[in-house]
Structure formats: structure tokens, C-alpha cells
Amino acid sequence: MNPYRIVQSILVTEKGTELAEDFNQYTFRVARDAAKPDIRRAVEEIFDVEVAAVNVMNRRGKKKRVRYGTYGKRADWKKAVVTLKEGSEITLI
Amino acid sequence: MDPANITVVREEPEPCRVRLNIEVPAEIVADRFAAAMNGFRRQARLPGFRKGKAPDALVLRKFDTDIRQHVQDELIQMGLKEALGREEKHPASRVELSNPKQLRVDVNDSFVFAVSYDVDPEFELPDYRALRIEEADVAVDDAQVAGAVDEWLENQATFEVVERPAAAEDLLKVSYTGQLTEPLPDGEELPESAKALLSPSAETWVPLREPGILPNVVEQLIGCVAGDEKEVVVRFPEDYFEEFLRGRTARIHMTILEVQGRSVPELTDEFAKNIGAEDAAAVRAVFRQRLELEGRVQRYQALRRKVLEAVTDIPDFPLPPRLLAAETQTVFMALLQSEFQRGVSDEELEGRRNELYNQAREMAARRLKQRCMLLEIAKAEGLEVAPAELTEVIREMSRREKVPEKRLRRRLEESGRIYLIMERLLVDKVLNWLVARVDGTDEAPDEKGTFGPAETAASDAAPEAAAAAPDSEPAADEEGGD
């Protein structure tokens, strides 16, 4: 599978930055149908790093009010927290 | 971070012009960058981060241009303050930043920029303290008073219907109709303004005095009596105000309805009482006082002119270039404006542009030289504008412009015009001081051109007569600073 279809974007957030600094963990938005091994391979290929572990979580899309009394919903998505092996690093910014 | 480490190299590219090359060391740059980063980080709101929690790298990437600009402004201010503090002479013009678009500030590098400005020229003051100028005292004789009174009485003349042939200075009530002697070509029509002069009028007034609206008719109408019908020929001169009629001839048929004779009143005690004065002598006294006052104002203005000429009668010295250019531009615009108001056409003005510009440059140079001299004298003599004097001027302006005094002051301070006003006041003060020295008096007219007590006494004698008397023209300001 195309690695760029699996890893959709890197999440640059306050929490993500702290994880990167403290635990060498990086958070990504990934394809909902991607499995952990797919994500590992994709990250290794795109960033040229060695992955130690992959944790994933499915996030429900937020409910958003479209107009008065009518609600819509953003798409569900999958988040992956990838732990890199020592010596590997991804430059976030 | 010590501003003393800032390096300043001074150059004088031309007389009265200073260029400062300023280098702010890298450690100060880094320090200011860190402070700016801190400030931006605390304020930054970026998605994924709480306010103030975004990492520096992200803040820098997002606000790079703003941060650099902020730091650059700070460094320029700091460098400029330090550099000007080391200079003996203060800038006399706006401080200009050289190549502002090419400036770039980097975290780990020193920041280099340059500024240029004018400084006051250096010259040797003449011995103004030894200046002696003779100006004759004002003396008003009886003939001058009589002349002024007569002139005023002429303006008080009244007209009454008379049963005699019309004479010069009379006023005729006429009905008339007029037409051009030569018919207009087909298709051409009299313009409205010319039509108004020639179209039939049932009742109008013709003063028998040249110049009148209808030229060369006085002689033709002298000797007429009421009821006469007269045909007059009017030849409109080449400089007649109505352009269409210039050089043309018109035949005007007039019916004289009334002849009114002009009656100039005599200055008698009774006439004086009617206008609120005690007697004729009191009216003459008012005129004498007025003439004396005018004479004193004129004498004072003449003295000011002579003092100014004498004080500035030293060899030319280099003048601040930017100030000279700005002053030249101001004078040039004023010249163009005045020529335009005199009726000079745009094409002619365009043709004389260079001549006018050279004239403006000469005038501007003279003004600037005078200003420099007088300010230097002020410095030498310790003359200053007192806050109360400035307040008085601003109060007067606020009354005139109908703007609250505080708001006007703030506006003047913000625009920097307050310094121009202070400078003008100071220049005026120096001139008054010089005149008082050469003249051995302390008096100077106020801004209305009066010397105060003298006129008050005169006006009290016959206030209405004083009010009715012809006003004197205010004396021209020889500096022409406004």
C-alpha cells in the first residue's frame, strides 16, 4: 500500500510535541483501514527511521452544528502514536 | 547588553549633512531576538497549542517576518538613540534611514544600518550687539490729519436728487437698452454675462466717475438733466473685464430718470456729535492717534527689515540641503499659487517653471539663512520661548479654529507642528530683541499691529468715530515665514 495513503499527516500539537521531546513518540493521522504493521512500514519508509512500537486509536468525528437545530458530523479518523527506536528522530518543524 | 558596545562611524557626505553608520553587535541582536520571541510566544495562538504554549520553532516559522521587523525596529531605535546621544549637534531635519528595504536582521549576526540628517550650519555670528540703525521717528502733521479726515469724509458722502445738469461724481438713475454696433455673425450669441450688461434695464444707477462698469461714458453724460434721452457710444477697451466685449463697440440708449448730486459732509462739531464724538477736535485727535499708530507700526516694521538685512549681511554659508529643498518647495508652491491667482495661465506657468523655481530657491536660501542666524543669536543670548507664550499662541489658534485648546495642543504635538510654532515664536522674539536694542526701546506691536495704550486712549475719546475711520492695512511681515 502507498505509504503516503497510510500516513496522512503528522499531528503538531502541544501534547504531540511533548511526547516527541520526552519519549521520542510521534503522532500521525493515518488511514482508518491501516493496521499497525502497515503504519510501521509507512513511517519507516517515509521518514527513514526505525520504529519500536505503534499504538493506534480510533477517534470519533466531532459533532458540528450545521444550522439551527441541525447537526452534522466530521469524519471519524485514526490516530497513531509511533515510538521510535533510540537514535531515530523526526524533525517536526 | 550594553548599548555602549554599539559602533558608530560618522561621515559628512556634504556640508550640513551627517551620515551615521551604526553597527549593533550580535549579542544585542540575539538578546532582542530572544525578548521578541518570548513576547510573540506568549501571545501566539496556534492550532493544537494553548495560548503561549507553542514551541519557539513553530512560532518563529509562523511569525518570522513580524518578529524580524519588530527586532529591526527596536534595534534601529536603540542604535539611533545611542548614536545621536554621542553627537554634539542635534538633527535639524528628519532623520532618514538609508536603504530601509535592504535591511535584514539575523539572530547570530550584528545588525548594520545607516541614517542621514541635516545639521545646523556653522558660521561666525556678526557683531550684532554693535548694530546701529537709524530710522526716523514718526511725526504726523496737521496736513496729514486733514488728508485722512477728508478721505474718510469722502467715504461718508451721501447722494440727493438735484434739479441741475449732471456733473462729474454725480449719480444718474437711468433706464437703458443697448446693443453692439456690429451685428454678431450667424450662429454666434452674446454670452449671458455680456447680455446682462446690454439687455434693457428699467432702472439702474450710473456713477459719473471713472472707472465705471460702462467705460468712457462719463463725458458723454455730463450736462444731462432728468428727462433727457441720450445715446452713448461705449468702446470696450482691450482689458475690459468681460472678455467677449473686449475691443467691441456698443450703442446704449439711456433715459435719465434722476440726477443725484454727491454731498460730502463737513467735519463740524454737530457732525462729530452725531457720530458719537465730543466735537470735531476729538475726531481729528482720533485720526492723529491712528496715523501715529500706523506710523509707529510702519517704523517698527522698517526697523525689523533693516535689522534683519544687517544681521544677515554676511558671506553666504552652506545651508542644510534637505531643509533648503523643503523650504524651496514651499516657496515654489506659494509662488505658483500667487501667479495663478494673478490670472497667469497654466501654459505660461509651465514655461516659467524653471525661472520660478530658481526664484523660489533664492528666496528659500535667504529665509533659511535668516532663520539660522536668528536661532544662533537666540542661543548666544539665552533667549527662549516661555511656556506661557506658547500657551497663549495655542489658545489664540484654538479660538480661531474653534478647536478645544487641549485637543489642538495634542494634535500639534503629534504632528510635530508645535516645534515649528516654537521656532517661529523664537525667531520673532529674537527680532524684537534686536530691534529693541538698536532702537533703545522695549516696545513691539502685538499681533494685531497695535502698541496698546496709545490707541486705547484715542478710542476712548470717540469710539464710534474710531470704528468708522478707515482701517489701516496690516504691515507685511518681512520674514514671510507663514
Side-chain angles (χ1 to χ4, degrees):
Chain A
M1 202 189 283
N2 181 354
Y4 292 98
R5 203 192 74 75
I6 295 172
V7 175
Q8 292 172 343
S9 66
I10 190 161
L11 294 173
V12 182
T13 63
E14 194 179 328
K15 189 176 178 182
T17 322
E18 276 180 14
L19 285 176
E21 283 170 4
D22 300 342
F23 304 108
N24 207 17
Q25 290 181 325
Y26 298 87
T27 47
F28 299 93
R29 185 184 181 119
V30 294
R32 284 182 65 201
D33 56 354
K36 284 181 180 179
D38 301 331
I39 296 168
R40 170 192 291 267
R41 271 195 300 278
V43 170
E44 284 180 343
E45 194 176 328
I46 293 171
F47 297 102
D48 192 20
V49 287
E50 282 188 66
V51 173
V54 177
N55 298 89
V56 293
M57 55 200 94
N58 285 302
R59 311 293 304 160
R60 294 242 171 94
K62 284 181 182 176
K63 260 180 151 184
K64 290 284 170 183
R65 201 171 71 186
V66 180
R67 62 179 77 83
Y68 185 75
T70 315
Y71 283 85
K73 185 176 159 296
R74 285 189 176 167
D76 297 339
W77 58 288
K78 186 182 255 184
K79 175 162 141 181
V81 177
V82 177
T83 309
L84 301 185
K85 285 186 183 167
E86 220 171 289
S88 289
E89 196 186 349
I90 294 173
T91 308
L92 280 181
I93 302 158
Chain B
M1 193 197 73
D2 186 3
N5 295 337
I6 293 173
T7 322
V8 182
V9 179
R10 187 181 199 277
E11 289 172 27
E12 283 192 33
E14 55 184 309
C16 298
R17 188 88 182 148
V18 169
R19 181 187 161 95
L20 299 177
N21 298 305
I22 303 166
E23 183 176 358
V24 184
E27 64 263 27
I28 295 182
V29 177
D31 184 78
R32 294 328 301 157
F33 244 111
M37 270 301 305
N38 208 15
F40 271 81
R41 190 182 50 239
R42 270 186 284 162
Q43 295 300 321
R45 282 180 181 278
L46 294 174
F49 297 87
R50 289 172 295 165
K51 183 183 174 189
K53 299 290 183 182
D56 281 359
L58 195 63
V59 173
L60 187 60
R61 195 172 70 175
K62 182 85 178 168
F63 299 107
D64 183 40
T65 320
D66 295 334
I67 292 172
R68 280 182 200 282
Q69 190 60 48
H70 179 81
V71 173
Q72 182 177 306
D73 291 348
E74 264 195 350
L75 292 175
I76 288 174
Q77 268 191 16
M78 180 195 282
L80 195 57
K81 190 176 168 195
E82 178 66 21
L84 291 179
R86 292 181 201 172
E87 285 295 308
E88 279 177 16
K89 280 188 162 187
H90 293 298
S93 71
R94 205 162 57 85
V95 177
E96 293 165 26
L97 193 60
S98 306
N99 301 325
K101 284 184 182 167
Q102 287 172 13
L103 292 176
R104 184 172 166 81
V105 58
D106 281 313
V107 192
N108 300 318
D109 217 350
S110 61
F111 177 61
V112 181
F113 66 101
V115 291
S116 306
Y117 56 86
D118 283 0
V119 288
D120 282 332
E122 283 179 6
F123 55 88
E124 205 171 313
L125 272 176
D127 189 9
Y128 56 90
R129 283 181 156 265
L131 197 61
R132 292 286 172 269
I133 289 170
E134 293 293 323
E135 184 67 29
D137 279 339
V138 186
V140 177
D141 58 25
D142 290 347
Q144 282 172 295
V145 175
V149 170
D150 286 348
E151 194 183 324
W152 176 65
L153 287 172
E154 287 278 325
N155 288 331
Q156 306 301 312
T158 53
F159 289 89
E160 283 167 11
V161 178
V162 290
E163 299 296 331
R164 59 163 172 76
E169 303 292 320
D170 282 354
L171 192 62
L172 299 184
K173 189 192 211 178
V174 300
S175 67
Y176 81 89
T177 177
Q179 61 180 33
L180 293 174
T181 49
E182 287 176 14
L184 292 173
D186 282 346
E188 195 174 341
E189 273 194 19
L190 269 178
E192 283 302 316
S193 48
K195 215 182 271 178
L197 284 165
L198 297 176
S199 57
S201 170
E203 192 179 297
T204 192
W205 296 94
V206 178
L208 297 185
R209 174 192 285 191
E210 293 286 2
I213 291 184
L214 296 174
N216 316 315
V217 296
V218 176
E219 279 183 17
Q220 299 179 63
L221 290 172
I222 283 177
C224 292
V225 292
D228 277 1
E229 295 209 355
K230 187 97 181 173
E231 193 151 282
V232 295
V233 177
V234 182
R235 286 189 185 81
F236 295 100
E238 289 300 331
D239 58 352
Y240 193 61
F241 72 90
E242 170 49 48
E243 200 178 338
F244 184 83
L245 295 175
R246 286 176 191 167
R248 295 178 192 261
T249 307
R251 198 179 297 282
I252 294 178
H253 182 85
M254 285 187 183
T255 307
I256 315 298
L257 303 174
E258 263 178 23
V259 177
Q260 293 204 356
R262 189 160 177 270
S263 152
V264 179
E266 265 185 57
L267 181 58
T268 58
D269 287 349
E270 194 183 344
F271 180 78
K273 280 196 176 101
N274 282 343
I275 59 165
E278 202 174 308
D279 53 17
V283 175
R284 284 193 195 92
V286 168
F287 274 92
R288 181 178 292 277
Q289 297 276 16
R290 206 174 180 90
L291 286 172
E292 281 174 357
L293 177 70
E294 280 174 22
R296 285 161 75 193
V297 170
Q298 279 170 11
R299 178 177 180 277
Y300 183 80
Q301 297 293 351
L303 264 176
R304 268 174 77 108
R305 267 193 298 276
K306 286 183 180 173
V307 163
L308 202 57
E309 278 164 23
V311 165
T312 49
D313 187 23
I314 61 166
D316 283 345
F317 45 81
L319 292 166
R322 291 290 192 278
L323 288 184
L324 181 60
E327 187 71 30
T328 304
Q329 197 57 28
T330 309
V331 178
F332 181 58
M333 293 313 288
L335 277 179
L336 282 183
Q337 188 77 16
S338 85
E339 291 292 298
F340 189 70
Q341 278 169 358
R342 279 199 316 120
V344 180
S345 67
D346 284 351
E347 294 78 33
E348 196 181 334
L349 277 182
E350 196 54 45
R352 292 176 52 207
R353 205 178 171 80
N354 281 346
E355 175 205 333
L356 286 174
Y357 189 82
N358 289 338
Q359 194 182 336
R361 200 178 156 79
E362 242 174 65
M363 285 166 75
R366 196 166 62 239
R367 274 192 196 178
L368 206 53
K369 185 177 167 188
Q370 288 169 352
R371 169 193 164 274
C372 293
M373 296 288 301
L374 293 172
L375 292 181
E376 201 60 33
I377 293 175
K379 213 185 288 175
E381 295 297 334
L383 296 173
E384 281 174 0
V385 175
E389 292 171 304
L390 182 63
T391 305
E392 186 49 45
V393 171
I394 294 176
R395 193 167 295 151
E396 179 59 35
M397 283 173 76
S398 83
R399 271 198 293 268
R400 210 168 44 230
E401 294 176 19
K402 295 187 175 61
V403 180
E405 193 184 323
K406 275 187 183 172
R407 194 190 302 168
L408 181 65
R409 182 182 275 268
R410 197 175 57 241
R411 223 185 273 170
L412 292 172
E413 281 171 355
E414 282 169 4
S415 66
R417 273 179 59 205
I418 199 158
Y419 299 108
L420 290 178
I421 295 173
M422 283 170 73
E423 192 182 284
R424 205 171 294 156
L425 278 175
L426 186 57
V427 163
D428 201 52
K429 200 169 187 173
V430 179
L431 262 176
N432 287 342
W433 181 86
L434 283 167
V435 171
R437 272 192 69 83
V438 298
D439 200 26
T441 64
D442 285 332
E443 70 169 7
D446 62 22
E447 58 192 25
K448 291 170 195 136
T450 62
F451 285 82
E455 194 188 37
T456 313
S459 301
D460 288 343
E464 286 183 31
D471 283 342
S472 62
E473 284 291 317
D477 182 6
E478 70 281 359
E479 291 90 66
D482 287 343

